[in-house]
Amino acid sequence: MTGGDPIGRALMERLDAFAAFSEEAGALTRLYLTPAHRAAADRLAGWMSEAGMTVRLDGAGTVVGRYEGAEPGRPALLIGSHIDTVRNAGAYDGNLGVLAGVAAVAELHRAGERLPFAVEVLGFGDEEGVRFPVTLTGSRAVAGTADPAALDAVDADGISVREALRRFGCTGDLAAVARRRADVLAFLEVHIEQGPVLEAAGLPLGVVTAINGASRFALTVTGTAGHAGTVPMGLRRDALAAAAEMVLAVEARGAAEPDLVATVGRIAAVPGAVNVIPGAVRFTLDVRAPRDDARAAAAADILAACRAVAARRGVGFDAERTHDAPAVACAGPLIAALEAAAARAGVPPHRLPSGAGHDAMALAALCPVGMLFVRCAGGISHHPAEAITADDAGLAVRVLLDTIRHLDPSGLERT
Ligand SMILES: [Zn+2]
């Protein structure tokens, strides 16, 4: 549906125009600190100025627009997302959240409305981590958790983040970018869902409860290789057949509770020949959940199930933890505020966890964070087919604006 919502239509036009800032003709690729990023940052700064904001570029390449409150210098509600993209990206991942923030402030500006706090819109430059082997550089710098070693990371041409920032016109002084807690109320991020849940539920918007924590493991099953023609079935210790049972155990445990997901994304049989019984199998396990205790319990259950399969089949089993990131909870008052605004807009409340990482994850180290998800067609993201409707985009801006207008700063000034 393309609706008659003028805010939604204007936002979609902007998002389309913004997608032209790309390193490739006919596709959207906008990596951190590239000329395409520069051009997009300048365009964004122009839109922020038109919306009544004072604009600056911070030391990490983040475009920051500030709309003062009733009195200048009040703590700021931060609204933001990222304007970098993956290669051959969709137009909405990240960019929607930044331009929705600008659209909300533009409405305040149009109405001559000042709030008891300032509103800042931030367009971060490095969420996807494609050009350099670092990620969330801009949001971590704002939160004061940036690792100075990130400046030494280099791209495929050997250019460091430090050098790229210098060429971009930024100081690269990440420590100076950090905000004081007292100057910040909270962080809100609007983002496409990048999954199929809202579409399946027939809902335009959802309120995020938490950004899932993740645990990853490298798993190895060791059996006995043998001739596929000469070793009878009863005398085999087939590592791949054992691993197949383990994969099904992963799926069953993942499906056993809501909001938990467990995935085997990569599997390789050794030696991997058509006429050889697999002697070893290496595979991966990825477990995510909005609660750390649920994730830890599921991972422990899965590994126990794998060991049981291994014992019954007489094969070896080894598990190595390769990654562990805790869940980041969204703040209760912000979940409630977003949900109340959605309800006032006639959207039935729907809470869901985020399975993907976002800038809000980094900002949570500084202040309370809240996220509003927008339905996307087929749950498709990181792909040119990424799609949202103008009606949903307009609704997201209205709910964001209504949330800002009703926000009670007293509950957010301290954590
Ligand atoms: Zn994103």
Side-chain angles (χ1 to χ4, degrees), residues 360-389:
M361 213 160 56
L363 268 296
L366 172 70
C367 62
V369 301
M371 285 195 78
L372 183 68
F373 268 175
V374 179
R375 164 172 59 190
C376 58
I380 295 165
S381 185
H382 285 184
H383 188 276
E386 205 173 81
I388 61 172
T389 68

PDB file of all heavy atoms in Angstrom, residues 360-389:
ATOM      1  N   ALA A 360      22.400   1.084  18.784  1.00  0.00           N
ATOM      2  CA  ALA A 360      21.831   1.189  20.140  1.00  0.00           C
ATOM      3  C   ALA A 360      22.585   0.315  21.134  1.00  0.00           C
ATOM      4  O   ALA A 360      22.690   0.642  22.323  1.00  0.00           O
ATOM      5  CB  ALA A 360      20.353   0.799  20.116  1.00  0.00           C
ATOM      6  N   MET A 361      23.130  -0.807  20.627  1.00  0.00           N
ATOM      7  CA  MET A 361      23.911  -1.715  21.460  1.00  0.00           C
ATOM      8  C   MET A 361      25.091  -0.976  22.093  1.00  0.00           C
ATOM      9  O   MET A 361      25.385  -1.145  23.277  1.00  0.00           O
ATOM     10  CB  MET A 361      24.443  -2.798  20.529  1.00  0.00           C
ATOM     11  CG  MET A 361      24.595  -4.159  21.068  1.00  0.00           C
ATOM     12  SD  MET A 361      24.664  -5.343  19.687  1.00  0.00           S
ATOM     13  CE  MET A 361      26.030  -4.743  18.690  1.00  0.00           C
ATOM     14  N   ALA A 362      25.770  -0.149  21.297  1.00  0.00           N
ATOM     15  CA  ALA A 362      26.918   0.610  21.803  1.00  0.00           C
ATOM     16  C   ALA A 362      26.462   1.717  22.744  1.00  0.00           C
ATOM     17  O   ALA A 362      27.065   1.948  23.795  1.00  0.00           O
ATOM     18  CB  ALA A 362      27.718   1.201  20.635  1.00  0.00           C
ATOM     19  N   LEU A 363      25.379   2.406  22.390  1.00  0.00           N
ATOM     20  CA  LEU A 363      24.901   3.535  23.194  1.00  0.00           C
ATOM     21  C   LEU A 363      24.422   3.091  24.573  1.00  0.00           C
ATOM     22  O   LEU A 363      24.385   3.890  25.510  1.00  0.00           O
ATOM     23  CB  LEU A 363      23.780   4.273  22.460  1.00  0.00           C
ATOM     24  CG  LEU A 363      24.181   5.459  21.572  1.00  0.00           C
ATOM     25  CD1 LEU A 363      24.782   6.578  22.409  1.00  0.00           C
ATOM     26  CD2 LEU A 363      25.140   5.065  20.476  1.00  0.00           C
ATOM     27  N   ALA A 364      24.046   1.803  24.695  1.00  0.00           N
ATOM     28  CA  ALA A 364      23.545   1.298  25.979  1.00  0.00           C
ATOM     29  C   ALA A 364      24.601   1.418  27.072  1.00  0.00           C
ATOM     30  O   ALA A 364      24.272   1.422  28.260  1.00  0.00           O
ATOM     31  CB  ALA A 364      23.082  -0.145  25.829  1.00  0.00           C
ATOM     32  N   ALA A 365      25.869   1.536  26.689  1.00  0.00           N
ATOM     33  CA  ALA A 365      26.922   1.713  27.690  1.00  0.00           C
ATOM     34  C   ALA A 365      26.891   3.118  28.287  1.00  0.00           C
ATOM     35  O   ALA A 365      27.468   3.368  29.341  1.00  0.00           O
ATOM     36  CB  ALA A 365      28.292   1.457  27.057  1.00  0.00           C
ATOM     37  N   LEU A 366      26.185   4.044  27.596  1.00  0.00           N
ATOM     38  CA  LEU A 366      26.136   5.438  28.034  1.00  0.00           C
ATOM     39  C   LEU A 366      24.820   5.789  28.717  1.00  0.00           C
ATOM     40  O   LEU A 366      24.810   6.506  29.732  1.00  0.00           O
ATOM     41  CB  LEU A 366      26.342   6.360  26.818  1.00  0.00           C
ATOM     42  CG  LEU A 366      26.140   7.865  27.045  1.00  0.00           C
ATOM     43  CD1 LEU A 366      27.283   8.417  27.906  1.00  0.00           C
ATOM     44  CD2 LEU A 366      26.068   8.613  25.707  1.00  0.00           C
ATOM     45  N   CYS A 367      23.706   5.311  28.161  1.00  0.00           N
ATOM     46  CA  CYS A 367      22.392   5.810  28.583  1.00  0.00           C
ATOM     47  C   CYS A 367      21.318   4.776  28.265  1.00  0.00           C
ATOM     48  O   CYS A 367      21.577   3.814  27.553  1.00  0.00           O
ATOM     49  CB  CYS A 367      22.099   7.120  27.841  1.00  0.00           C
ATOM     50  SG  CYS A 367      22.014   6.944  26.045  1.00  0.00           S
ATOM     51  N   PRO A 368      20.081   5.001  28.773  1.00  0.00           N
ATOM     52  CA  PRO A 368      18.999   4.090  28.398  1.00  0.00           C
ATOM     53  C   PRO A 368      18.773   4.143  26.890  1.00  0.00           C
ATOM     54  O   PRO A 368      18.880   5.212  26.284  1.00  0.00           O
ATOM     55  CB  PRO A 368      17.779   4.664  29.135  1.00  0.00           C
ATOM     56  CG  PRO A 368      18.319   5.605  30.160  1.00  0.00           C
ATOM     57  CD  PRO A 368      19.640   6.090  29.660  1.00  0.00           C
ATOM     58  N   VAL A 369      18.472   2.972  26.283  1.00  0.00           N
ATOM     59  CA  VAL A 369      18.218   2.931  24.848  1.00  0.00           C
ATOM     60  C   VAL A 369      16.848   2.319  24.568  1.00  0.00           C
ATOM     61  O   VAL A 369      16.353   1.490  25.328  1.00  0.00           O
ATOM     62  CB  VAL A 369      19.303   2.133  24.074  1.00  0.00           C
ATOM     63  CG1 VAL A 369      20.674   2.742  24.292  1.00  0.00           C
ATOM     64  CG2 VAL A 369      19.295   0.655  24.442  1.00  0.00           C
ATOM     65  N   GLY A 370      16.246   2.786  23.473  1.00  0.00           N
ATOM     66  CA  GLY A 370      14.982   2.226  23.009  1.00  0.00           C
ATOM     67  C   GLY A 370      15.034   2.096  21.506  1.00  0.00           C
ATOM     68  O   GLY A 370      15.715   2.871  20.830  1.00  0.00           O
ATOM     69  N   MET A 371      14.331   1.089  20.960  1.00  0.00           N
ATOM     70  CA  MET A 371      14.326   0.873  19.509  1.00  0.00           C
ATOM     71  C   MET A 371      12.921   0.594  19.008  1.00  0.00           C
ATOM     72  O   MET A 371      12.165  -0.147  19.628  1.00  0.00           O
ATOM     73  CB  MET A 371      15.218  -0.320  19.122  1.00  0.00           C
ATOM     74  CG  MET A 371      16.703  -0.052  19.182  1.00  0.00           C
ATOM     75  SD  MET A 371      17.644  -1.357  18.307  1.00  0.00           S
ATOM     76  CE  MET A 371      17.397  -0.857  16.603  1.00  0.00           C
ATOM     77  N   LEU A 372      12.623   1.191  17.859  1.00  0.00           N
ATOM     78  CA  LEU A 372      11.350   0.969  17.185  1.00  0.00           C
ATOM     79  C   LEU A 372      11.642   0.276  15.856  1.00  0.00           C
ATOM     80  O   LEU A 372      12.392   0.797  15.031  1.00  0.00           O
ATOM     81  CB  LEU A 372      10.658   2.314  16.945  1.00  0.00           C
ATOM     82  CG  LEU A 372       9.265   2.272  16.317  1.00  0.00           C
ATOM     83  CD1 LEU A 372       8.257   1.651  17.287  1.00  0.00           C
ATOM     84  CD2 LEU A 372       8.818   3.683  15.925  1.00  0.00           C
ATOM     85  N   PHE A 373      11.052  -0.907  15.656  1.00  0.00           N
ATOM     86  CA  PHE A 373      11.252  -1.643  14.411  1.00  0.00           C
ATOM     87  C   PHE A 373      10.115  -1.336  13.432  1.00  0.00           C
ATOM     88  O   PHE A 373       8.957  -1.220  13.833  1.00  0.00           O
ATOM     89  CB  PHE A 373      11.277  -3.149  14.677  1.00  0.00           C
ATOM     90  CG  PHE A 373      12.657  -3.707  14.933  1.00  0.00           C
ATOM     91  CD1 PHE A 373      12.821  -5.033  15.298  1.00  0.00           C
ATOM     92  CD2 PHE A 373      13.794  -2.925  14.804  1.00  0.00           C
ATOM     93  CE1 PHE A 373      14.075  -5.571  15.531  1.00  0.00           C
ATOM     94  CE2 PHE A 373      15.059  -3.446  15.036  1.00  0.00           C
ATOM     95  CZ  PHE A 373      15.197  -4.777  15.396  1.00  0.00           C
ATOM     96  N   VAL A 374      10.479  -1.249  12.161  1.00  0.00           N
ATOM     97  CA  VAL A 374       9.518  -1.013  11.087  1.00  0.00           C
ATOM     98  C   VAL A 374       9.480  -2.255  10.201  1.00  0.00           C
ATOM     99  O   VAL A 374      10.530  -2.795   9.826  1.00  0.00           O
ATOM    100  CB  VAL A 374       9.931   0.227  10.256  1.00  0.00           C
ATOM    101  CG1 VAL A 374       8.944   0.466   9.120  1.00  0.00           C
ATOM    102  CG2 VAL A 374      10.048   1.456  11.153  1.00  0.00           C
ATOM    103  N   ARG A 375       8.272  -2.696   9.889  1.00  0.00           N
ATOM    104  CA  ARG A 375       8.045  -3.875   9.028  1.00  0.00           C
ATOM    105  C   ARG A 375       8.784  -3.721   7.698  1.00  0.00           C
ATOM    106  O   ARG A 375       8.749  -2.647   7.083  1.00  0.00           O
ATOM    107  CB  ARG A 375       6.546  -3.987   8.794  1.00  0.00           C
ATOM    108  CG  ARG A 375       6.118  -4.889   7.650  1.00  0.00           C
ATOM    109  CD  ARG A 375       4.618  -5.082   7.634  1.00  0.00           C
ATOM    110  NE  ARG A 375       3.859  -3.836   7.498  1.00  0.00           N
ATOM    111  CZ  ARG A 375       2.526  -3.749   7.651  1.00  0.00           C
ATOM    112  NH1 ARG A 375       1.819  -4.804   7.983  1.00  0.00           N
ATOM    113  NH2 ARG A 375       1.930  -2.581   7.510  1.00  0.00           N
ATOM    114  N   CYS A 376       9.460  -4.777   7.242  1.00  0.00           N
ATOM    115  CA  CYS A 376      10.059  -4.736   5.909  1.00  0.00           C
ATOM    116  C   CYS A 376       9.611  -5.968   5.122  1.00  0.00           C
ATOM    117  O   CYS A 376       9.392  -7.035   5.679  1.00  0.00           O
ATOM    118  CB  CYS A 376      11.578  -4.616   5.963  1.00  0.00           C
ATOM    119  SG  CYS A 376      12.440  -5.907   6.856  1.00  0.00           S
ATOM    120  N   ALA A 377       9.464  -5.786   3.832  1.00  0.00           N
ATOM    121  CA  ALA A 377       8.868  -6.815   2.974  1.00  0.00           C
ATOM    122  C   ALA A 377       9.693  -8.093   3.000  1.00  0.00           C
ATOM    123  O   ALA A 377      10.894  -8.072   2.714  1.00  0.00           O
ATOM    124  CB  ALA A 377       8.752  -6.295   1.547  1.00  0.00           C
ATOM    125  N   GLY A 378       9.050  -9.187   3.364  1.00  0.00           N
ATOM    126  CA  GLY A 378       9.713 -10.489   3.342  1.00  0.00           C
ATOM    127  C   GLY A 378      10.845 -10.630   4.343  1.00  0.00           C
ATOM    128  O   GLY A 378      11.567 -11.621   4.321  1.00  0.00           O
ATOM    129  N   GLY A 379      11.018  -9.629   5.196  1.00  0.00           N
ATOM    130  CA  GLY A 379      12.130  -9.669   6.144  1.00  0.00           C
ATOM    131  C   GLY A 379      13.486  -9.511   5.471  1.00  0.00           C
ATOM    132  O   GLY A 379      14.524  -9.749   6.070  1.00  0.00           O
ATOM    133  N   ILE A 380      13.472  -9.087   4.198  1.00  0.00           N
ATOM    134  CA  ILE A 380      14.720  -9.024   3.415  1.00  0.00           C
ATOM    135  C   ILE A 380      15.512  -7.770   3.777  1.00  0.00           C
ATOM    136  O   ILE A 380      14.958  -6.670   3.823  1.00  0.00           O
ATOM    137  CB  ILE A 380      14.405  -9.028   1.903  1.00  0.00           C
ATOM    138  CG1 ILE A 380      13.768 -10.357   1.511  1.00  0.00           C
ATOM    139  CG2 ILE A 380      15.661  -8.758   1.073  1.00  0.00           C
ATOM    140  CD1 ILE A 380      13.107 -10.325   0.140  1.00  0.00           C
ATOM    141  N   SER A 381      16.805  -7.937   4.025  1.00  0.00           N
ATOM    142  CA  SER A 381      17.689  -6.804   4.294  1.00  0.00           C
ATOM    143  C   SER A 381      19.090  -7.133   3.780  1.00  0.00           C
ATOM    144  O   SER A 381      19.365  -8.263   3.401  1.00  0.00           O
ATOM    145  CB  SER A 381      17.733  -6.502   5.791  1.00  0.00           C
ATOM    146  OG  SER A 381      18.491  -5.351   6.021  1.00  0.00           O
ATOM    147  N   HIS A 382      19.960  -6.112   3.768  1.00  0.00           N
ATOM    148  CA  HIS A 382      21.309  -6.250   3.201  1.00  0.00           C
ATOM    149  C   HIS A 382      21.205  -6.721   1.750  1.00  0.00           C
ATOM    150  O   HIS A 382      22.003  -7.549   1.297  1.00  0.00           O
ATOM    151  CB  HIS A 382      22.173  -7.217   4.035  1.00  0.00           C
ATOM    152  CG  HIS A 382      22.638  -6.593   5.332  1.00  0.00           C
ATOM    153  ND1 HIS A 382      23.485  -7.226   6.207  1.00  0.00           N
ATOM    154  CD2 HIS A 382      22.371  -5.394   5.884  1.00  0.00           C
ATOM    155  CE1 HIS A 382      23.722  -6.443   7.243  1.00  0.00           C
ATOM    156  NE2 HIS A 382      23.049  -5.324   7.074  1.00  0.00           N
ATOM    157  N   HIS A 383      20.250  -6.200   1.029  1.00  0.00           N
ATOM    158  CA  HIS A 383      19.963  -6.632  -0.340  1.00  0.00           C
ATOM    159  C   HIS A 383      19.173  -5.506  -1.008  1.00  0.00           C
ATOM    160  O   HIS A 383      18.372  -4.837  -0.347  1.00  0.00           O
ATOM    161  CB  HIS A 383      19.127  -7.926  -0.280  1.00  0.00           C
ATOM    162  CG  HIS A 383      18.941  -8.569  -1.630  1.00  0.00           C
ATOM    163  ND1 HIS A 383      17.950  -8.173  -2.499  1.00  0.00           N
ATOM    164  CD2 HIS A 383      19.615  -9.570  -2.244  1.00  0.00           C
ATOM    165  CE1 HIS A 383      18.034  -8.918  -3.599  1.00  0.00           C
ATOM    166  NE2 HIS A 383      19.035  -9.759  -3.470  1.00  0.00           N
ATOM    167  N   PRO A 384      19.374  -5.297  -2.318  1.00  0.00           N
ATOM    168  CA  PRO A 384      18.640  -4.212  -2.999  1.00  0.00           C
ATOM    169  C   PRO A 384      17.127  -4.373  -2.928  1.00  0.00           C
ATOM    170  O   PRO A 384      16.400  -3.392  -3.091  1.00  0.00           O
ATOM    171  CB  PRO A 384      19.120  -4.308  -4.449  1.00  0.00           C
ATOM    172  CG  PRO A 384      20.331  -5.156  -4.443  1.00  0.00           C
ATOM    173  CD  PRO A 384      20.314  -5.989  -3.213  1.00  0.00           C
ATOM    174  N   ALA A 385      16.636  -5.599  -2.671  1.00  0.00           N
ATOM    175  CA  ALA A 385      15.188  -5.829  -2.619  1.00  0.00           C
ATOM    176  C   ALA A 385      14.554  -5.368  -1.305  1.00  0.00           C
ATOM    177  O   ALA A 385      13.338  -5.471  -1.144  1.00  0.00           O
ATOM    178  CB  ALA A 385      14.887  -7.309  -2.841  1.00  0.00           C
ATOM    179  N   GLU A 386      15.381  -4.860  -0.387  1.00  0.00           N
ATOM    180  CA  GLU A 386      14.864  -4.319   0.875  1.00  0.00           C
ATOM    181  C   GLU A 386      13.726  -3.333   0.580  1.00  0.00           C
ATOM    182  O   GLU A 386      13.888  -2.455  -0.264  1.00  0.00           O
ATOM    183  CB  GLU A 386      16.032  -3.575   1.536  1.00  0.00           C
ATOM    184  CG  GLU A 386      15.991  -3.427   3.022  1.00  0.00           C
ATOM    185  CD  GLU A 386      17.330  -2.817   3.485  1.00  0.00           C
ATOM    186  OE1 GLU A 386      17.497  -1.585   3.399  1.00  0.00           O
ATOM    187  OE2 GLU A 386      18.200  -3.571   3.905  1.00  0.00           O
ATOM    188  N   ALA A 387      12.573  -3.485   1.244  1.00  0.00           N
ATOM    189  CA  ALA A 387      11.440  -2.598   0.935  1.00  0.00           C
ATOM    190  C   ALA A 387      10.576  -2.335   2.164  1.00  0.00           C
ATOM    191  O   ALA A 387      10.363  -3.218   2.999  1.00  0.00           O
ATOM    192  CB  ALA A 387      10.579  -3.215  -0.166  1.00  0.00           C
ATOM    193  N   ILE A 388      10.122  -1.095   2.275  1.00  0.00           N
ATOM    194  CA  ILE A 388       9.132  -0.706   3.281  1.00  0.00           C
ATOM    195  C   ILE A 388       8.070   0.122   2.561  1.00  0.00           C
ATOM    196  O   ILE A 388       8.291   0.563   1.428  1.00  0.00           O
ATOM    197  CB  ILE A 388       9.748   0.120   4.443  1.00  0.00           C
ATOM    198  CG1 ILE A 388      10.355   1.431   3.917  1.00  0.00           C
ATOM    199  CG2 ILE A 388      10.796  -0.690   5.181  1.00  0.00           C
ATOM    200  CD1 ILE A 388      10.804   2.380   5.022  1.00  0.00           C
ATOM    201  N   THR A 389       6.926   0.360   3.220  1.00  0.00           N
ATOM    202  CA  THR A 389       5.909   1.199   2.578  1.00  0.00           C
ATOM    203  C   THR A 389       5.990   2.623   3.121  1.00  0.00           C
ATOM    204  O   THR A 389       6.480   2.863   4.235  1.00  0.00           O
ATOM    205  CB  THR A 389       4.488   0.669   2.849  1.00  0.00           C
ATOM    206  OG1 THR A 389       4.192   0.837   4.250  1.00  0.00           O
ATOM    207  CG2 THR A 389       4.353  -0.805   2.464  1.00  0.00           C
TER     208      THR A 389
END
